[in-house]
Amino acid sequence: MLFTSYGFIAFLAVLFLVYYLFPRKYQWCLLLAASYIFYAFAGLDSLVFILVTTLSSYAVALIMGRMRRRENEYIEAHKDSLDKEAKKAYRAKQRKRRFPVLVAGLVFNFGILAVIKYTGFAISNFNSIIGAFGKEPLTIPSLLLPMGISFYIFQSMGYLIDVYRGKAEPEKNAARFALFVSFFPQLVQGPISRFSDLAPQLFAPHKFNGKSFTFGIQRILWGYFKKLVIADRIVVLMTAMLDEPTEYTGAYVLLLIVVYSIQIFADFTGGIDITIGIAEALGIRLAENFKHPFSSTSTKEYWNRWHITMGSWFNDYVFNSLSVCGPMKKFSTFSRKRFGKALGMRVPVYISTIVTWFLTGLWHGAGWNFIVWGLLNCAVILVSREFEPLYKKFRNKFPRLVATKGYYFFSVARTFLLMGIIRSLDCYRDVGLTFKLWGSMLTTFNYGTLFGGGILDLGLNVSDFVIIAVSVVMVCFIGVVTQKRDVREVLYEKPLVNTALAVALFIAIILFGAYGINYDATQFIYNQF
């Protein structure tokens, strides 16, 4: 059941009506039922996978919670005879005992994800190796990726790690935990929530709040506008250039980089707007996943603003865990003695950053293009880190220049293009071809052909480009305004204007949405991840 399908809109309308008529004490039960109904439309086989992750995570968390409770009881019973060091040693010992339980839960669930998502990729690479020696290739099985599996497994494993670290108490009610894992708005593409943030809201009673409901509906409409009017219209342009990528070199590559950046932003943020809007209409606040990423002046800033919950997940559970683990500390000490303090201090950061970005790329997809995408982002971040002293000298030497609007827009444009170039690996998929097409931007000078009429041979007419341009300007304007204040708060104080704008937005979606003949909603790009 796609977010942009008529069936989903009907499902949502019924849920909103029943939710606030339902006894508040049992609203969470209704949400659980709605989540499983929603997920069942993806296939009954998919239900098996989400149930396995739910039950295994629930059991592992209870085991670790019981072990921690016994630990606390022991310390309480012997508090008079245990000094500070003895308590510390005992806790460290118990932590080591809990660790294999955590690892079992992580290996089991990440193992499921790895088998389903990466078996074909692994066998394909193995076939390439044995093929060089004349061996017969292995058959690549066809495995269907269950909807949202990457998101709900990451969310569940984050919960297990938090329980292990003592940052979250294990949920004793299996049905309540099932709702945390399966809450339907965020199943498709996130955001990836933390148990301590989301669970209390899911289980709390929610009285109808006109303001919250209005804000939620506005957010949903804004998401549909981005998705249907901008992203799905650009699909036609992208399809034309990607059907025969070698025919569209030079200026067309630059065009693809720019329009794909706009498309994925409108598609992904549109989906997140719908997700957050649904939750807000239900009285639940989800974490923001984007904070004006295209206004970033550096790669590091960009990744602090784009897909925030994914970045914080990898930072908290991969980068931080790896950089302070025992073996890493030992290797850092060895490096300091062998290669000097400066390099020794960099070792944990560099290795942890490389591993984190390698896994981030692999999480996005089973292909070398995604791995290279992750490592290129890593390289840019590490190089920028090394050149930071030079950047600082430049800023100190030319403070007036750095403070100008021109320099700011230059930095924003540079970051936008750099991220767009790397992101084009999503589109071309073939790493060698992508590098070749990047080079064509400097060697094939067909910009006159493109802007002399060639752009109109890509499936869109002048009116389509006007709609895209006006819509993008509108999104940019709203983005700039909302950086300073919440526009919805201002509009809520003016009911007539608020209603008129909501109706206008709805009409714009109906009139300008890219539906086409025999309309079938285009999948959200991040569904594949």
Side-chain angles (χ1 to χ4, degrees):
M1 195 191 305
L2 298 178
F3 275 12
T4 48
S5 67
Y6 300 125
F8 178 75
I9 295 172
F11 165 82
L12 209 55
V14 173
L15 176 62
F16 285 155
L17 177 63
V18 176
Y19 182 74
Y20 286 110
L21 295 176
F22 218 67
R24 292 176 200 163
K25 185 179 179 180
Y26 301 106
Q27 283 175 327
W28 70 270
C29 298
L30 177 64
L31 287 181
L32 177 61
S35 296
Y36 273 87
I37 291 171
F38 172 82
Y39 205 71
F41 276 92
L44 295 179
D45 291 345
S46 296
L47 280 175
V48 174
F49 287 99
I50 197 169
L51 282 170
V52 167
T53 293
T54 300
L55 293 175
S56 61
S57 302
Y58 171 74
V60 169
L62 285 183
I63 294 170
M64 290 192 294
R66 193 180 306 119
M67 295 173 74
R68 180 173 282 279
R69 188 166 59 253
R70 290 174 181 172
E71 172 190 330
N72 292 334
E73 289 172 352
Y74 177 86
I75 290 178
E76 179 63 26
H78 299 82
K79 60 182 179 181
D80 295 331
S81 59
L82 293 173
D83 59 21
K84 186 177 180 180
E85 290 301 318
K87 288 180 182 178
K88 185 178 179 180
Y90 179 76
R91 287 195 181 279
K93 181 180 178 181
Q94 296 306 306
R95 189 181 179 93
K96 286 183 179 179
R97 289 187 61 200
R98 289 195 305 275
F99 187 67
V101 180
L102 171 67
V103 170
L106 297 178
V107 169
F108 177 73
N109 284 284
F110 281 131
I112 292 173
L113 179 62
V115 169
I116 294 173
K117 194 170 182 178
Y118 303 106
T119 295
F121 177 60
I123 293 177
S124 177
N125 282 282
F126 181 75
N127 285 342
S128 297
I129 295 172
I130 64 175
F133 298 95
K135 302 293 184 179
E136 288 294 321
L138 300 178
T139 301
I140 299 177
S142 179
L143 299 175
L144 183 63
L145 191 67
M147 181 181 71
I149 187 171
S150 294
F151 289 99
Y152 69 69
I153 283 185
F154 268 54
Q155 183 160 296
S156 302
M157 297 306 97
Y159 162 77
L160 287 186
I161 296 171
D162 284 345
V163 171
Y164 168 76
R165 292 174 174 175
K167 292 183 177 180
E169 288 296 320
E171 174 56 57
K172 296 181 176 60
N173 187 312
R176 287 177 179 251
F177 180 68
L179 175 57
F180 166 73
V181 177
S182 65
F183 185 47
F184 77 92
Q186 59 180 34
L187 265 179
V188 177
Q189 52 188 343
I192 303 171
S193 299
R194 306 298 173 94
F195 186 79
S196 57
D197 296 330
L198 180 58
Q201 298 186 79
L202 290 176
F203 311 142
H206 294 282
K207 182 180 179 181
F208 180 80
N209 183 300
K211 184 176 181 180
S212 178
F213 188 80
T214 300
F215 281 9
I217 298 300
Q218 287 174 337
R219 192 80 182 255
I220 292 170
L221 286 174
W222 188 234
Y224 278 124
F225 178 81
K226 289 180 183 176
K227 168 65 175 171
L228 296 174
V229 179
I230 301 175
D232 284 1
R233 180 167 269 100
I234 292 176
V235 166
V236 176
L237 197 67
M238 294 294 300
T239 302
M241 288 189 285
L242 291 175
D243 278 349
E244 295 291 340
T246 55
E247 299 295 321
Y248 296 99
T249 59
Y252 289 91
V253 179
L254 179 59
L255 175 66
L256 180 138
I257 288 168
V258 173
V259 297
Y260 182 61
S261 297
I262 296 171
Q263 183 200 3
I264 194 172
F265 174 81
D267 188 282
F268 196 9
T269 63
I272 293 296
D273 284 334
I274 296 170
T275 293
I276 293 177
I278 294 170
E280 194 169 11
L282 296 168
I284 298 165
R285 300 283 294 183
L286 294 179
E288 291 291 344
N289 220 21
F290 294 88
K291 290 185 179 178
H292 315 288
F294 289 161
S295 64
S296 304
T297 58
S298 68
T299 306
K300 182 180 179 181
E301 182 186 357
Y302 173 87
W303 281 110
N304 287 331
R305 293 170 174 266
W306 179 280
H307 207 341
I308 298 168
T309 57
M310 180 206 69
S312 64
W313 195 99
F314 276 102
N315 183 69
D316 293 348
Y317 301 125
V318 178
F319 178 84
N320 289 341
S321 299
L322 187 58
S323 59
V324 299
C325 69
M328 187 65 74
K329 288 181 178 179
K330 291 180 181 178
F331 188 63
S332 177
T333 302
F334 168 80
S335 300
R336 291 185 188 191
K337 292 179 180 178
R338 190 69 181 269
F339 305 111
K341 183 179 179 180
L343 182 59
M345 291 176 64
R346 286 173 167 81
V347 166
V349 175
Y350 276 42
I351 294 178
S352 301
T353 302
I354 292 169
V355 171
T356 299
W357 276 103
F358 173 83
L359 293 176
T360 301
L362 199 60
W363 176 84
H364 276 79
W368 283 108
N369 60 307
F370 291 111
I371 294 173
V372 172
W373 170 89
L375 294 178
L376 283 177
N377 275 287
C378 174
V380 172
I381 290 171
L382 291 181
V383 169
S384 297
R385 179 186 175 91
E386 286 301 311
F387 278 90
E388 182 55 36
L390 291 178
Y391 299 152
K392 188 176 181 180
K393 286 182 180 179
F394 177 83
R395 290 192 294 267
N396 291 337
K397 190 172 183 179
F398 304 102
R400 291 185 178 179
L401 173 64
V402 173
T404 62
K405 288 288 185 181
Y407 185 80
Y408 168 76
F409 287 123
F410 163 76
S411 300
V412 168
R414 176 197 60 197
T415 304
F416 174 84
L417 286 174
L418 180 58
M419 291 295 93
I421 288 169
I422 296 174
R423 192 185 295 110
S424 64
L425 282 159
D426 293 0
C427 306
Y428 295 121
R429 300 299 170 105
D430 184 294
V431 176
L433 174 63
T434 305
F435 286 171
K436 183 179 178 181
L437 291 171
W438 289 349
S440 75
M441 288 190 290
L442 302 175
T443 58
T444 304
F445 298 97
N446 55 352
Y447 293 84
T449 302
L450 174 64
F451 297 108
I455 194 170
L456 296 178
D457 295 329
L458 298 175
L460 297 181
N461 55 37
V462 174
S463 61
D464 286 315
F465 283 108
V466 170
I467 291 171
I468 292 171
V470 172
S471 300
V472 169
V473 169
M474 202 163 106
V475 169
C476 292
F477 175 76
I478 295 297
V480 171
V481 172
T482 53
Q483 280 185 307
K484 299 178 181 178
R485 57 181 175 175
D486 191 340
V487 176
R488 296 181 303 172
E489 289 284 354
V490 177
L491 292 175
Y492 190 74
E493 301 299 324
K494 302 175 181 179
L496 290 178
V497 176
N498 196 25
T499 302
L501 288 175
V503 171
L505 187 59
F506 176 76
I507 292 172
I509 295 168
I510 299 299
L511 292 179
F512 303 118
Y515 303 104
I517 300 171
N518 298 322
Y519 171 65
D520 181 23
T522 304
Q523 281 272 14
F524 283 91
I525 293 173
Y526 261 68
N527 280 20
Q528 64 184 300
F529 304 142

